[in-house]
Amino acid sequence: HDVLSSRQITTSSSFPSTERTRTTTTSIEPLSSFSSSSKNNNNSKITDLRSDTLTSPTPSMLQTALRAPTGDDVLSEDPTVLSLEAYAASLFDKPSALFVPTGTMGNLCAILSHCHYNKSSEMIMGKHSHINLYEGGGYANLAGVSGKLVEEDEDGKMDVEDLRDAFRRDDDDHYAKTVLVALENTHNMLGGVAVEKGYVDGIGRLAKDEWGGEVKIHIDGARIFNAAISLGVSVGELCEGADSVTFCLSKGLGAPMGAVL
């Protein structure tokens, strides 16, 4: 904050191979002077691209929120929440949906739902996945689920043979049983790459045909709408091969918070 308030940033970049150091000084506006989309003193448009979570509600969204009918969500009597859940389920062609405060909670609810009946459950997930790296280890310390990590390629995919190698049946007391495979679409740590429907469907067939339907497929789809638009398919089609999917309302969709499982 002190650096930004001084209206200057100094950055250094080292290049070990050439032993060069570059220092640049750039004049900027303090962060407090603009939002995700505003104008500076020269009336030129500024777009803040640090994160799509910086999107904020439009005036019409705020007015709709103020007028929205409310009720007791614990008793499943909040008409606005029920409407959102029904719309999301229809959009993804799934039997039901659940509104939660965050995408991390949505993923955790999915893990708990798929793995709750087996106290020695294991889930396979990407080494660079958000669930593994940035969700507080909730799958282990809250859900009590063991994790098996598989390296993804540059397209955000785990190789099918690696998945086969990672799979473990409940035929040895020394093993945790593979119960869940978690995919990520778009894949955050691999540059936001969109994973195509064919791959998702293929993993779904692997679980059903080779693993007897005992292994479920969950998609961490925080930005699944970006993937759908990029690939030219609906989110329902894109997630057809998965048993569950979480998406965020706060990433690029303008809502201040919220996610749906």
Side-chain angles (χ1 to χ4, degrees):
H1 180 269
D2 292 338
V3 173
L4 291 173
S5 296
S6 71
R7 304 171 69 86
Q8 289 186 336
I9 286 183
T10 300
T11 59
S12 297
S13 301
S14 297
F15 300 85
S17 60
T18 58
E19 297 184 351
R20 292 185 297 158
T21 300
R22 179 185 64 200
T23 301
T24 59
T25 301
T26 306
S27 186
I28 66 167
E29 293 292 326
L31 288 181
S32 59
S33 70
F34 59 86
S35 62
S36 59
S37 183
S38 62
K39 294 182 178 180
N40 64 11
N41 294 332
N42 297 324
N43 291 323
S44 60
K45 192 80 169 180
I46 294 178
T47 301
D48 191 336
L49 297 177
R50 287 174 299 158
S51 174
D52 55 4
T53 59
L54 291 165
T55 54
S56 55
T58 63
S60 62
M61 290 172 67
L62 292 172
Q63 288 300 316
T64 300
L66 288 173
R67 296 192 298 265
T70 59
D72 193 329
D73 189 41
V74 174
L75 300 176
S76 297
E77 294 178 355
D78 188 308
T80 301
V81 172
L82 292 174
S83 177
L84 170 64
E85 292 173 341
Y87 176 68
S90 174
L91 199 62
F92 282 80
D93 197 24
K94 300 298 183 189
S96 60
L98 177 69
F99 172 71
V100 291
T102 71
T104 294
M105 181 180 285
N107 287 334
L108 183 60
C109 287
I111 295 168
L112 285 163
S113 297
H114 293 308
C115 302
H116 75 94
Y117 61 89
N118 191 317
K119 295 304 181 184
S120 61
S121 295
E122 185 166 82
M123 64 179 292
I124 301 173
M125 59 190 151
K127 179 180 177 180
H128 302 288
S129 66
H130 194 276
I131 291 177
N132 177 49
L133 295 177
Y134 300 117
E135 298 189 7
Y139 67 88
N141 61 43
L142 293 175
V145 174
S146 174
K148 197 72 172 290
L149 304 181
V150 173
E151 187 80 35
E152 308 99 318
D153 62 20
E154 62 183 8
D155 296 321
K157 303 173 186 176
M158 295 177 283
D159 186 81
V160 172
E161 290 305 317
D162 290 340
L163 292 176
R164 288 190 175 107
D165 290 340
F167 172 75
R168 298 198 287 192
R169 297 187 185 276
D170 190 19
D171 57 2
D172 189 316
D173 290 339
H174 297 91
Y175 295 160
K177 179 183 179 180
T178 303
V179 175
L180 180 65
V181 175
L183 308 177
E184 186 171 329
N185 200 10
T186 57
H187 199 299
N188 188 11
M189 293 305 295
L190 293 173
V193 64
V195 179
E196 70 270 14
K197 171 179 168 58
Y199 176 77
V200 178
D201 289 346
I203 301 303
R205 286 192 299 270
L206 175 69
K208 291 178 174 61
D209 297 342
E210 294 190 25
W211 299 339
E214 296 181 1
V215 177
K216 304 301 181 183
I217 309 299
H218 172 67
I219 297 177
D220 174 5
R223 297 171 173 87
I224 193 70
F225 292 98
N226 291 2
I229 291 172
S230 174
L231 298 169
V233 298
S234 70
V235 288
E237 293 174 300
L238 186 54
C239 300
E240 183 179 3
D243 298 282
S244 61
V245 56
T246 298
F247 71 88
C248 289
L249 300 167
S250 58
K251 295 180 173 70
L253 300 181
M257 61 173 288
V260 178
L261 168 62

